[in-house]
């Protein structure tokens, strides 16, 4: 069964094309969304990749991240009548495994939804603050002022926002691999429940909650393997962004059992990229 790789990119055309070349395979279908803020010539993208249109202006921490994903998913599902999973990647991700090995690994996981997910709350991930009050990251001043006033009123009355009826909040990494039937179900749910998008428009970093919450409220929840097979290295303490991976990280990456690692940055990660490519060549020849 073929695999779809959906890559959202906002910088570094060379790195994007290197990733696309590495994933070039008859059984892999490649889609790319180019952030509208990025002044890149779309003609420079590897022609094997299909480009998502229209391009969206994606802002960190805002609902624009989810909107861009939903638009990308609608295009992919309209174009691709059959595939095993859609793998959501950043252009700063990179494969750990040779394509042939990756296909074998994915075949063994064909019955699972690969999404990092944990229930939000006192006994799980304490991220209730992301939805209990209004957030408008990346918005203009009027919306931010309106949120601040609404939050002041909530606190003054001792109230907090509640999740839409029938849903329990879940969260986790924004990078996942979900089956076509699961994604089709999620898109149908979004169309049928406009209150979901209204609510999540004022959630902080909704891309780390939206899909987890809907998957865990779906018939596909029993299929969830709460692991996304991505190697990420976080700095000590609280941080918005993971560390940039370098060649010295290779032993930990290979030992992790991950399918992809992130994040890689241009020349800083050139040594690691070369070692992973050498590993790929050795695996392919073997």
């Amino acid at each position: 069964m073929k695999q779809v790789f959906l890559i959202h990119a906002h910088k570094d055309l060379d790195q994007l094309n290197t990733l696309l070349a590495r994933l070039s395979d008859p059984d892999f279908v490649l889609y790319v969304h180019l952030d509208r803020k990025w002044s890149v010539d779309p003609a420079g993208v590897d022609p094997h990749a299909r480009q998502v249109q229209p391009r969206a202006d994606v802002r960190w921490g805002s609902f624009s991240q989810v909107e861009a994903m939903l638009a990308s998913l609608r295009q992919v599902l309209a174009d691709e009548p059959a595939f095993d999973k859609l793998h959501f990647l950043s252009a700063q991700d990179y494969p750990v495994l040779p394509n042939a090995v990756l296909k074998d690994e994915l075949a063994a996981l064909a019955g699972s939804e690969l999404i990092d997910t944990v229930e939000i709350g006192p006994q799980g991930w304490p991220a209730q603050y992301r939805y209990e009050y209004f957030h408008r990251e990346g918005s203009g001043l009027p919306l931010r002022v309106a949120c601040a006033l609404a939050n002041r009123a909530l606190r003054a009355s001792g109230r907090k926002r509640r999740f839409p009826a029938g849903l329990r909040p879940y969260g986790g990494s924004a990078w996942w691999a979900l089956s076509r039937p699961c994604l089709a179900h999620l898109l149908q749910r979004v169309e049928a429940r406009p209150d979901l998008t209204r609510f999540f428009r004022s959630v902080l970093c909704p891309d780390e909650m939206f899909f987890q919450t809907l998957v865990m409220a779906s018939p596909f929840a029993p299929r969830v393997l709460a692991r996304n097979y991505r190697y990420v290295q976080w700095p000590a303490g609280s941080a918005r962004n993971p560390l940039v991976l370098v060649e010295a990280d290779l032993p930990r990456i290979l030992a992790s059992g991950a399918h992809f690692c992130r994040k890689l940055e241009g020349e800083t990660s050139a040594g690691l990229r070369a070692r992973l490519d050498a590993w790929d060549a050795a695996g392919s020849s073997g």
Side-chain angles (χ1 to χ4, degrees), residues 65 78 107 113 158 164 174:
Q65 295 177 290
E113 309 295 339

Side-chain angles (χ1 to χ4, degrees), residues 17-281:
N17 281 334
T18 300
L19 172 60
L20 292 170
R22 174 69 185 269
L23 287 172
S24 178
D25 189 281
D27 294 321
F28 294 167
V29 182
L30 310 177
Y31 281 80
V32 173
H33 172 267
L34 304 174
D35 193 299
R36 196 171 69 207
K37 295 188 299 299
W38 186 14
S39 58
V40 63
D41 181 359
V45 176
D46 187 318
H48 292 100
R50 307 173 188 183
Q51 295 189 33
V52 174
Q53 298 293 343
R55 293 168 62 181
D57 180 356
V58 181
R59 304 280 175 169
W60 182 90
S62 77
F63 190 71
S64 62
Q65 295 177 290
V66 175
E67 279 186 312
M69 269 302 304
L70 293 175
S72 297
L73 293 176
R74 291 186 187 103
Q75 179 173 329
V76 173
L77 266 64
D79 292 348
E80 306 296 334
F83 58 84
D84 174 25
K85 287 188 178 66
L86 181 145
H87 305 261
F88 181 38
L89 303 175
S90 159
Q92 293 181 280
D93 293 352
Y94 210 68
V96 175
L97 305 174
N99 288 350
V101 177
L102 178 57
K103 284 189 275 189
D104 288 342
E105 292 278 326
L106 294 174
L109 294 166
S112 300
E113 309 295 339
L114 310 180
I115 182 168
D116 175 36
T117 183
V118 63
E119 189 167 2
I120 294 175
Q123 306 305 316
W125 182 22
Q128 303 95 307
Y129 67 92
R130 294 191 179 192
Y131 66 83
E132 288 178 338
Y133 297 99
F134 294 94
H135 298 271
R136 281 286 187 171
E137 296 296 315
S139 299
L141 182 60
L143 274 177
R144 296 201 306 273
V145 170
C147 282
L149 292 174
N151 289 337
R152 184 181 300 175
L154 284 174
R155 291 186 174 97
S157 63
R159 297 169 57 204
K160 295 178 181 177
R161 291 208 306 160
R162 295 181 180 179
F163 238 67
L167 292 179
R168 296 170 65 182
Y170 285 82
S173 169
W175 313 102
W176 38 255
L178 297 174
S179 69
R180 193 187 192 288
C182 179
L183 292 171
H185 174 86
L186 297 189
L187 289 178
Q188 290 168 2
R189 186 82 180 270
V190 169
E191 294 299 322
R193 292 280 304 270
D195 60 314
L196 297 179
T197 52
R198 283 198 300 269
F199 179 83
F200 276 97
R201 282 186 186 281
S202 50
V203 169
L204 178 62
C205 297
D207 59 317
E208 296 179 342
M209 297 172 58
F210 187 85
F211 293 96
Q212 282 83 359
T213 297
L214 292 190
V215 170
M216 295 307 291
S218 79
F220 296 87
R223 292 165 45 111
V224 167
L225 181 59
R227 181 181 178 189
N228 63 359
Y229 289 86
R230 313 295 169 88
Y231 178 88
V232 180
Q233 196 166 305
W234 292 94
S238 177
R240 263 177 57 166
N241 297 309
L243 295 173
V244 173
L245 300 176
V246 296
E247 186 175 356
D249 296 313
L250 182 64
R252 290 186 293 274
I253 294 170
L254 295 179
S256 70
H259 297 162
F260 292 87
C261 59
R262 71 180 312 269
K263 64 182 183 177
L264 278 65
E265 283 272 8
E267 288 303 312
T268 303
S269 304
L272 172 61
R273 197 179 299 108
R275 293 286 300 278
L276 288 169
D277 286 344
W279 174 258
D280 179 35

